[in-house]
Amino acid sequence: MMPISSFASTHLCWPQRLEPTPRPQRLTPSRQSQWLSLGLLLAIMLSFSMTGCTASTTLTADPPPAAVEPATPSSPDANPAADATTTLETLKFKQGSGAEAFSLKLKPDGAKLVNPGEAELARLTVDDAQKVKIKNAQDKPLGYVVKNGDHWKVENAEQSKTLYVLRRQTDGDYKLEDGQDQPIYRIKVRDYGYEIETPDKQSLYKIKVKEGKISLRNAAEETVLSTKDAIAPIAFAAFGFEVLTPEQQAALAYSVNLTGGQ
């Protein structure tokens, strides 16, 4: 095929000599078809030429910079290691029927024992030595729970007398004794939790842990008390110590739970 430049100089430029203008001749249909085909061919070639230039420019151009996603600011609430001691919680306890029995409202300096109607039954305050002071709703002292090594002492309001002692044994069991070191209960480790027995091994209560629920069951396997809130099973056992008052039970459970029974 003849190059476009040669074709243009041969067929599209005006002649240099002036000659008489020939009489226009009428183009035959076949001649018209040839010129139309030639014009179409020129248009296609020019189109390909321009497309090639555009493609070349596009290929050699630098690619646009990738979009940068903005950094997501970290949330202070997303820290799973937040100080749990500053978190206020409520431990709710239910009767065997499912009705609410009472609650322990935890505070940074202790807890409150309240009934289902939110009336205050007892007030617990703890000092730096983990000594728990028990007061009633009228702010009258009722007694103390004192942690000392491997045991917890329940003392009277004047701290002049030891009423009960919960001792941790080397084998993982516990014993509740009176102020004269006489055994009252044996708290035995079981695969389901703990069992509270008399000194002569008569079963009184079982503390069973199952599917996130802790329950206190009597000898007939009836649920007496239960909770789904976080409390150490050995601390929960204090609510099975019938010789203690409800205020003493709550204070002992709170004190034992501070260290997980250790």
Side-chain angles (χ1 to χ4, degrees):
M1 181 182 294
M2 182 181 296
I4 295 176
S5 57
S6 300
F7 178 86
S9 60
T10 305
H11 296 277
L12 300 182
C13 295
W14 291 101
Q16 298 298 321
R17 288 187 309 169
L18 295 178
E19 295 181 358
T21 303
R23 183 178 180 180
Q25 297 181 358
R26 193 171 193 178
L27 296 178
T28 64
S30 61
R31 191 67 174 175
Q32 288 180 352
S33 176
Q34 292 177 0
W35 279 102
L36 287 175
S37 300
L38 184 59
L40 181 60
L41 179 61
L42 281 172
I44 292 174
M45 293 178 66
L46 288 173
S47 175
F48 273 115
S49 178
M50 294 177 66
T51 302
C53 294
T54 303
S56 176
T57 303
T58 303
L59 291 174
T60 56
D62 293 333
V68 179
E69 294 290 338
T72 303
S74 59
S75 171
D77 297 333
N79 182 9
D83 186 4
T85 60
T86 62
T87 302
L88 303 185
E89 298 180 28
T90 299
L91 306 182
K92 295 183 178 181
F93 301 87
K94 293 185 177 182
Q95 304 173 23
S97 63
E100 187 175 347
F102 56 85
S103 298
L104 265 178
K105 292 184 176 293
L106 306 184
K107 301 166 60 180
D109 62 345
K112 281 186 179 182
L113 178 66
V114 300
N115 67 12
E118 296 294 316
E120 183 178 325
L121 303 175
R123 195 174 304 167
L124 312 176
T125 55
V126 60
D127 62 14
D128 294 338
Q130 293 189 340
K131 180 172 68 175
V132 179
K133 185 177 183 178
I134 312 169
K135 296 185 290 185
N136 63 13
Q138 290 72 39
D139 214 32
K140 178 183 177 180
L142 300 178
Y144 292 84
V145 175
V146 181
K147 173 77 163 61
N148 187 359
D150 61 355
H151 63 275
W152 293 259
K153 296 189 297 181
V154 180
E155 301 178 342
N156 63 0
E158 296 75 26
Q159 281 195 275
S160 60
K161 184 179 181 180
T162 297
L163 305 176
Y164 304 100
V165 180
L166 178 65
R167 297 186 188 275
R168 177 167 51 88
Q169 309 297 299
T170 56
D171 59 359
D173 292 346
Y174 293 79
K175 285 184 180 181
L176 185 72
E177 304 170 341
D178 63 16
Q180 288 72 44
D181 297 335
Q182 296 301 307
I184 301 175
Y185 301 124
R186 295 157 32 113
I187 301 92
K188 306 291 291 182
V189 177
R190 303 298 188 206
D191 56 357
Y192 52 77
Y194 291 95
E195 184 174 12
I196 302 175
E197 300 177 339
T198 63
D200 58 359
K201 300 183 180 181
Q202 178 185 353
S203 180
L204 299 175
Y205 292 102
K206 293 178 181 178
I207 296 90
K208 291 193 172 183
V209 182
K210 185 178 180 180
E211 298 177 353
K213 180 180 180 180
I214 304 178
S215 59
L216 179 68
R217 303 187 184 187
N218 59 21
E221 286 292 332
E222 298 170 334
T223 299
V224 177
L225 193 70
S226 68
T227 184
K228 291 184 177 180
D229 294 324
I231 184 172
I234 186 58
F236 186 78
F239 296 110
F241 300 161
E242 295 179 344
V243 296
L244 273 61
T245 66
E247 295 84 0
Q248 290 171 338
Q249 289 177 348
L252 182 58
Y254 174 81
S255 180
V256 173
N257 195 56
L258 288 176
T259 59
Q262 301 301 312

